[in-house]
């Protein structure tokens, strides 16, 4: 078989006509070709995918991102960013890009092939590089997210943690990423379509979520399905969501408990390995296209769909109904029916849920926000049955125990000589005096000798050091322990990453030890500051390398103004006020 014939045969192998219009195109090679490519991939340049890239690759390969056949080249990228369209005019709202560092990009030429691997080194696909380009991240943030405010998680990811070079090109799939959790619920587009056909489901309305679902969500989804005469697909995103969200393991357990409260043969649960961007209206449009590819005929769009909340000025990033308006404008082109739905609220006087638009002046509306729910969980307070089901409450309480049993991390940061390690030791002593909970200390010098041995003091190495501390602290916190960290941690981006790692499992308490530089220098027993002033040490924090002062730490202490004992007491008193000890 010649090369052209082989390519045609491979395309026919992977093409699946969608029952609701369009063609679903998988990018996996037939088994024999995939095995041959897997063997050959060992000789190619290797790129290890991060979590977002891994999620994107999975949905590219299984057809979830149809009609894309790989990561966007420059022309498609420019069209998507500026106009929500690929170069050929096809509607596509979110740029799907493979970002790499300049050093890796410099080793490649157009036409080169690279092996795309998971974190274990397993080759998943080969990318033929058709385009190597430098994007304007600020312009991308403004046009895709409508803001450059780093409070927006998608903007922070783009501006602070995305590689400076993008590689575009077509993919040849070798194998799917491995998932060992909830494997029976992870159906790709082809498998889900086949399941719908087996069940005789022809009209399916899909519901997107990244949070646990409660009674209001059940009422909303049931009414939406009834409105269009469809069965219900609950398809939560379990790839990457907003930092601080409930972990997907807990959420899926909640979804499985909730699904039992739907009418039999009316609803099904399937997991979507999507790395969300929290892009509001554009993301809602993207979600609709993805659900069309998975076989849904309709898609529910709620209030503030995929919105990340408020900006640094306290204003919502997106109008609550902007997503519904954008999808309505593209309804005919999308090829999937849009079901806009207002928020559901509980009317105590009627003992029922109803759309917010149907509330009468005399109705006694009750609600529990996400913040209030977390507070009740942390305080061990009752959660009413009108809000959620007892089985869901039980799962959430197991994962989010009352604060006194919750793990947390104390993250001391400050200049060398500020007193952070000394205060950390004093706090450790106070905690061990009064309790029996396990405490792990991750002091800057100790971590450098063991966990981060071999790292230097470049910005990249310093950030890597803090990321390692954050990871270990998050594991301590996950198991209900207390982590006390005392690095210099001069850069805000690394501290933010450490916070995000820990907050996936418990509380992160940033403590800025704000002792002035001149006091720190006067305490310099090792002579480091003097050596830095003399130019013998380069890149010393506070002298010729910046310390980025925390903008809003939970606590700020100045050990030139209070004693170590008083500083430790201040920390412990704050922990008591928060109910953490």
């Amino acid at each position: 078989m010649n090369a052209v014939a082989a390519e045609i045969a491979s395309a026919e192998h992977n093409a699946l006509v969608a029952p609701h219009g369009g063609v679903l195109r998988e990018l996996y090679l037939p088994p024999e070709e995939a095995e041959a490519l897997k063997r050959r991939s060992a000789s190619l340049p290797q790129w290890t995918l991060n979590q977002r890239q891994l999620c994107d690759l999975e949905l590219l390969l299984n057809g979830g991102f149809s009609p894309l056949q790989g990561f966007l080249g420059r022309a498609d990228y420019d069209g998507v960013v500026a106009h929500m369209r690929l170069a050929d005019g096809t509607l596509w709202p979110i740029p799907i890009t493979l970002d790499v560092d300049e050093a890796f990009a410099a080793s490649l030429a157009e036409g080169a092939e690279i092996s795309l691997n998971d974190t274990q080194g397993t080759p998943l696909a080969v990318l033929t590089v058709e385009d190597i380009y430098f994007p304007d991240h600020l312009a991308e943030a403004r046009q895709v997210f409508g803001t450059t405010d780093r409070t927006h998680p998608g903007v922070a990811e783009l501006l602070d943690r995305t590689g400076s070079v993008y590689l575009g090109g077509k993919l040849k799939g070798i194998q799917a990423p491995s998932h060992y959790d909830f494997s029976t619920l992870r159906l790709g587009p082809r498998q889900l379509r086949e399941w719908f056909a087996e069940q005789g489901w022809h009209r399916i309305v899909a519901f997107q979520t990244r949070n646990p679902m409660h009674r209001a969500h059940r009422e909303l989804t049931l009414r939406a399905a009834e409105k269009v005469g469809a069965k219900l697909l609950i398809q939560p995103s379990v790839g990457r969501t907003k930092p601080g969200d409930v972990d997907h393991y807990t959420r899926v357990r909640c979804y499985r408990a909730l699904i039992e409260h739907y009418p039999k043969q009316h609803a099904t649960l399937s997991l979507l390995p999507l790395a969300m961007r929290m892009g509001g209206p554009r993301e809602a449009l993207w979600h609709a296209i993805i659900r069309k590819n998975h076989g849904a005929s309709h898609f529910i769009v709620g209030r503030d769909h995929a919105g990340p909340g408020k900006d640094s000025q306290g204003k919502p990033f997106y109008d609550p109904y902007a997503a519904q308006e954008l999808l309505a404008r593209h309804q005919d082109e999308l090829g999937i029916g849009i079901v806009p739905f207002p928020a559901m609220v509980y009317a105590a006087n009627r003992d029922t849920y109803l759309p917010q638009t149907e509330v009468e002046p005399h109705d006694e509306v009750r609600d529990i926000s996400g913040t209030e729910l977390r507070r009740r969980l942390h305080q061990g307070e009752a959660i009413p049955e009108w809000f959620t089901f007892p089985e869901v409450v039980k799962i959430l309480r197991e994962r989010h125990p009352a604060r006194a049993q919750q793990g947390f991390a104390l993250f001391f940061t400050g200049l060398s000589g500020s007193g952070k390690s000394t205060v950390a030791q004093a706090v450790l002593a106070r905690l061990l005096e009064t309790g029996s909970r396990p405490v792990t200390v991750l002091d800057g010098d100790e971590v450098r000798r063991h966990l981060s041995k071999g790292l230097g003091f470049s910005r990249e190495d310093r950030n890597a050091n803090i990321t390692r501390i954050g990871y270990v602290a998050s594991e301590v916190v996950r198991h209900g322990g207390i982590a006390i960290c005392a690095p210099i941690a001069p850069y805000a981006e690394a501290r933010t990453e450490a916070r995000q790692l820990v907050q996936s499992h418990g509380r992160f308490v940033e403590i800025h030890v704000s002792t002035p530089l001149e006091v720190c220098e006067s305490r310099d027993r090792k002579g480091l500051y003097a050596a830095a002033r003399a130019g013998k040490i380069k890149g010393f924090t506070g002298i010729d390398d910046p310390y980025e002062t925390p903008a809003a730490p939970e606590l700020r202490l100045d050990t030139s103004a209070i004693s170590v004992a008083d500083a430790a007491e201040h920390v412990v008193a704050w922990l008591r006020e928060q109910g953490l000890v």
Side-chain angles (χ1 to χ4, degrees):
M1 184 182 293
N2 63 35
V4 173
E7 186 171 342
I8 293 171
S10 179
E12 291 175 347
H13 169 81
N14 290 308
L16 177 67
V17 177
H20 303 296
V23 174
L24 179 75
R25 193 172 299 282
E26 296 176 332
L27 305 180
Y28 292 110
L29 294 175
E32 289 186 8
E33 292 180 43
E35 184 58 34
L37 185 60
K38 181 179 181 180
R39 291 193 297 269
R40 188 166 67 82
S41 69
S43 63
L44 301 176
Q46 310 287 305
W47 181 257
T48 301
L49 300 162
N50 61 31
Q51 186 188 18
R52 174 182 55 79
Q53 295 168 344
L54 195 61
C55 292
D56 287 353
L57 180 74
E58 182 168 1
L59 288 168
L60 283 166
L61 295 181
N62 69 18
F65 283 172
S66 291
L68 303 189
Q69 297 183 55
F71 292 101
L72 300 187
R74 181 89 218 200
D76 284 328
Y77 167 80
D78 287 343
V80 169
V81 169
H83 309 295
M84 300 195 304
R85 294 188 182 277
L86 302 173
D88 66 2
T90 302
L91 186 66
W92 189 269
I94 298 292
I96 306 301
T97 56
L98 180 65
D99 61 297
V100 300
D101 57 62
E102 290 188 40
F104 184 77
S107 68
L108 305 173
E110 290 186 16
E113 291 183 310
I114 61 173
S115 177
L116 303 181
N117 307 333
D118 66 16
T119 55
Q120 305 300 311
T122 304
L124 304 176
V126 167
L127 175 74
T128 300
V129 179
E130 299 171 358
D131 220 345
I132 303 172
Y133 58 103
F134 287 81
D136 183 337
H137 286 158
L138 274 173
E140 182 180 335
R142 276 193 295 268
Q143 293 181 275
V144 175
F145 298 114
T147 181
T148 57
D149 187 337
R150 282 176 166 82
T151 308
H152 190 300
V155 172
E157 168 84 10
L158 179 61
L159 299 185
D160 298 332
R161 296 183 291 279
T162 299
S164 57
V165 185
Y166 287 175
L167 305 180
K170 292 183 179 179
L171 290 165
K172 295 177 181 177
I174 297 173
Q175 59 187 317
S178 297
H179 295 288
Y180 302 104
D181 60 320
F182 309 116
S183 55
T184 60
L185 297 177
R186 292 181 177 273
L187 300 183
R190 180 184 289 267
Q191 293 79 19
L192 201 50
R193 288 178 179 280
E194 290 172 350
W195 187 88
F196 290 149
E198 290 170 4
Q199 302 300 312
W201 289 17
H202 303 293
R203 292 173 67 84
I204 302 104
V205 61
F207 180 67
Q208 148 75 28
T209 183
R210 47 169 256 269
N211 293 310
M213 292 174 64
H214 304 294
R215 288 184 185 268
H217 302 97
R218 176 183 178 275
E219 292 300 319
L220 185 156
T221 52
L222 280 173
R223 288 180 182 232
E226 181 182 6
K227 181 178 179 179
V228 296
K231 302 292 188 178
L232 178 64
L233 167 64
I234 297 174
Q235 195 179 38
S237 294
V238 296
R240 189 194 61 181
T241 58
K242 183 181 175 184
D245 281 350
V246 176
D247 66 277
H248 81 269
Y249 298 100
T250 302
R251 289 192 288 116
V252 175
R253 291 172 61 206
C254 291
Y255 302 141
R256 290 197 302 194
L258 182 80
I259 203 80
E260 298 301 318
H261 292 275
Y262 284 89
K264 296 296 182 185
Q265 305 302 315
H266 188 85
T268 192
L269 172 65
S270 184
L271 309 184
L272 183 71
L274 179 70
M276 293 183 65
R277 273 63 163 183
M278 304 305 300
R282 278 198 183 220
E283 178 132 352
L285 194 62
W286 188 41
H287 288 176
I289 295 170
I290 293 167
R291 272 36 183 242
K292 172 189 171 183
N293 287 332
H294 280 79
S297 59
H298 294 76
F299 181 59
I300 299 169
V301 183
R303 186 180 184 278
D304 195 27
H305 189 108
K310 297 180 179 179
D311 63 19
S312 57
Q313 305 302 313
K315 298 178 181 179
F317 278 104
Y318 307 112
D319 181 86
Y321 297 106
Q324 295 183 358
E325 293 167 2
L326 179 65
L327 269 72
R329 292 200 296 271
H330 294 281
Q331 171 78 75
D332 294 340
E333 186 177 6
L334 271 173
I336 183 170
I338 302 304
V339 187
F341 231 86
M344 300 292 292
V345 296
Y346 178 71
N349 54 307
R350 304 195 212 182
D351 189 26
T352 190
Y353 277 89
L354 54 130
Q356 203 167 35
T357 52
E358 296 178 14
V359 173
E360 300 290 343
H362 65 274
D363 284 325
E364 300 172 21
V365 174
R366 295 180 185 172
D367 187 28
I368 295 179
S369 66
T371 301
E372 172 64 9
L373 175 61
R374 288 190 292 272
R375 188 194 69 78
R376 290 182 181 227
L377 290 169
H378 292 158
Q379 299 297 331
E381 294 180 12
I383 297 171
E385 285 201 28
W386 62 259
F387 176 74
T388 194
F389 296 95
E391 306 95 309
V392 174
V393 174
K394 181 175 182 293
I395 294 166
L396 291 175
R397 286 201 190 282
E398 289 173 355
R399 181 62 184 84
H400 298 279
R403 277 183 177 163
Q405 286 79 49
Q406 215 180 57
F408 62 88
L410 301 179
F411 192 93
F412 291 86
T413 173
L415 296 169
S416 177
S418 61
K420 58 189 178 299
S421 295
T422 306
V423 176
Q425 288 297 326
V427 170
L428 170 65
R430 292 297 309 278
L431 292 175
L432 295 179
E433 277 180 359
T434 56
S436 58
R437 294 178 65 183
V439 184
T440 299
V441 178
L442 299 169
D443 182 73
D445 291 338
E446 289 296 316
V447 167
R448 281 281 181 179
R449 273 194 290 272
H450 303 291
L451 183 63
S452 294
K453 188 176 182 179
L455 289 181
F457 290 89
S458 66
R459 188 180 184 97
E460 293 74 18
D461 281 0
R462 289 182 177 188
N463 283 347
N465 179 50
I466 300 307
T467 298
R468 293 180 188 184
I469 291 173
Y471 172 73
V472 174
S474 73
E475 288 297 297
V476 171
V477 169
R478 183 164 71 92
H479 293 285
I482 301 170
I484 299 180
C485 315
I488 293 174
Y491 307 127
E493 63 186 280
R495 296 194 298 263
T496 298
E497 186 167 356
R499 179 183 288 272
Q500 291 172 355
L501 286 167
V502 170
Q503 284 182 337
S504 298
H505 307 294
R507 192 75 178 271
F508 183 91
V509 183
E510 185 176 34
I511 304 170
H512 176 213
V513 184
S514 59
T515 309
L517 175 61
E518 59 270 18
V519 176
C520 295
E521 284 196 69
S522 70
R523 296 172 175 175
D524 186 16
R525 294 190 301 270
K526 300 177 184 177
L528 298 176
Y529 279 102
R533 293 283 188 193
K536 296 177 182 177
I537 298 177
K538 300 296 184 183
F540 193 81
T541 301
I543 304 301
D544 58 345
D545 198 69
Y547 176 81
E548 298 172 359
T549 303
E554 280 74 6
L555 288 167
R556 213 183 292 273
L557 306 170
D558 180 354
T559 61
S560 70
I562 58 174
S563 68
V564 169
D566 286 345
E569 177 56 35
H570 190 63
V571 173
V572 173
W574 187 89
L575 293 174
R576 289 198 191 101
E577 289 173 6
Q578 298 295 312
L580 290 169
V581 295

